[in-house]
Amino acid sequence: MQQGEPQQDKPLQQGELRTIVWQHGTSSRESPPETLQEVVHDPHALIWLDMLGACASQQALLHNVFELAPITIQTMDEEKERAKFTEQEHYFYLVVHGMSFDTRTDQANMPKLDIIFGKNFLITAHRASLPWLDALFEETQGKTANEHLMSRGMPFLLYALLDALVDSYFPVLDDIDDIIDELEDVTVNSTSNDVQIRIFRIKRSLALMRRVISPQIEVANALVARAGKFIPAKVQPYFADVHDHMIRAFEVLDSYRDLMSGMLDVYLTTVSNRLNVVMKQLTIIATIFMPITFITGVFGQNFGHLPQVEHDNGYLFWIVLAFMGLITVLQIWYFKKRGWL
């Protein structure tokens, strides 16, 4: 496809790939492997290859056309891998992670993204669809030669990719912030077990996010320090900005984790206070009935001769009943005066 001819990309299916080749001031898509074999040796061209999932044909393409080492291809095939930055003879290999959060289940997902970049090519591989990556891919079409994302070279394309990755974190963090604000109001008013379960779920998700994002800060720092042969000095401040945004995202996660820990303490305190109130009410009720029970117990003794029964003229029952009522009123008055009711 020539530049200026917009084309709507369909979502990738598992095992599919898509390519953009920038050469001689124009971009083309869906280039066959034999074309990529020629373009990859053109120092003035730039290739972006994006792959979803993994299959044997993709591995053959990576090995035969881009000459990736077997250890790199093997690592790309692993579903779970810690963020890292490694250097090979003619390319660098990055492992980073995206971020998503399901507000219905409070579950976090950190999809892995493999990035391989050389002097004139950039390869991205992922197992899950990444909306922000699709949007960035769409930005590479319908542009003039001077505005085209790939016209500025591989370093700026790599920067745009990492910048879009980090920017995708903050809408997720905003969603979590709204959930935390909602939980803060619920925690002080509810002692339901559902609140406690949700707090633990969010804490677990935040711990996962923090554990995944933490090594990416080191990766972003190493990218600036060690990739000098492909990333010129004039572009390095852009990557330093990505590093700063990564630190900011990590600090936000840290603050959320502290908030959730404090919220759990507030919830446990609320439950304890509610239990104390209930126990106080039950104790007061038991205390009120204690003298009444004593009096009825005395009058209910089964002896042969009871003075209060033998000499009763019919009014003793009502006198005792009134006396028990008076005791109850005096007890309630006393409890209120002491602030127990």
Side-chain angles (χ1 to χ4, degrees), residues 76-91:
M76 291 174 62
D77 194 42
E78 295 178 0
E79 183 176 359
K80 296 183 179 180
E81 185 73 18
R82 188 178 185 270
K84 66 179 182 179
F85 177 71
T86 59
E87 180 179 359
Q88 297 294 337
E89 183 178 354
H90 65 286
Y91 65 87

Side-chain angles (χ1 to χ4, degrees), residues 201-213:
R201 280 204 308 257
I202 296 177
K203 282 193 66 176
R204 189 183 304 112
S205 296
L206 290 174
L208 171 63
M209 293 178 179
R210 187 179 183 276
R211 186 170 62 253
V212 173
I213 295 299

Side-chain angles (χ1 to χ4, degrees), residues 53-220:
C55 64
S57 61
Q58 292 179 354
Q59 294 180 356
L61 177 67
L62 296 176
H63 179 72
N64 298 329
V65 176
F66 296 96
E67 300 177 355
L68 299 189
I71 184 64
T72 301
I73 298 176
Q74 179 183 351
T75 305
M76 291 174 62
D77 194 42
E78 295 178 0
E79 183 176 359
K80 296 183 179 180
E81 185 73 18
R82 188 178 185 270
K84 66 179 182 179
F85 177 71
T86 59
E87 180 179 359
Q88 297 294 337
E89 183 178 354
H90 65 286
Y91 65 87
F92 289 94
Y93 176 36
L94 275 171
V95 176
V96 291
H97 295 83
M99 180 189 297
S100 64
F101 184 80
D102 191 337
T103 55
R104 295 171 300 176
T105 61
D106 299 324
Q107 298 295 322
N109 184 31
M110 309 296 288
K112 174 191 171 189
L113 175 65
D114 298 284
I115 302 175
I116 300 97
F117 64 93
K119 186 176 181 180
N120 64 336
F121 68 87
L122 177 70
I123 302 173
T124 52
H126 45 99
R127 290 178 174 268
S129 179
L130 303 174
W132 62 267
L133 183 59
D134 295 335
L136 182 64
F137 205 88
E138 285 300 318
E139 290 182 13
T140 60
Q141 65 177 341
K143 302 286 187 178
T144 63
N146 292 331
E147 295 175 343
H148 200 284
L149 182 62
M150 300 177 68
S151 65
R152 305 177 70 182
M154 188 282 301
F156 281 97
L157 178 61
L158 177 62
Y159 159 71
L161 177 66
L162 294 177
D163 186 58
L165 168 69
V166 178
D167 287 345
S168 69
Y169 292 166
F170 292 99
V172 177
L173 296 177
D174 290 340
D175 290 341
I176 298 176
D177 183 65
D178 293 338
I179 293 175
I180 292 177
D181 288 341
E182 176 188 345
L183 270 178
E184 285 177 340
D185 296 334
V186 174
T187 301
V188 297
N189 298 315
S190 175
T191 57
S192 170
N193 288 334
D194 293 338
V195 176
Q196 183 180 11
I197 292 173
R198 194 174 190 193
I199 290 175
F200 279 120
R201 280 204 308 257
I202 296 177
K203 282 193 66 176
R204 189 183 304 112
S205 296
L206 290 174
L208 171 63
M209 293 178 179
R210 187 179 183 276
R211 186 170 62 253
V212 173
I213 295 299
S214 177
Q216 291 189 184
I217 298 177
E218 302 174 6
V219 167

Side-chain angles (χ1 to χ4, degrees), residues 8 51 65 71 75 118 125 129 159 185 231 238 242 275 286 291 318:
Q8 186 68 28
M51 304 185 302
V65 176
I71 184 64
T75 305
S129 179
Y159 159 71
D185 296 334
I231 301 178
Y238 292 92
V242 172
L275 179 62
W318 301 107

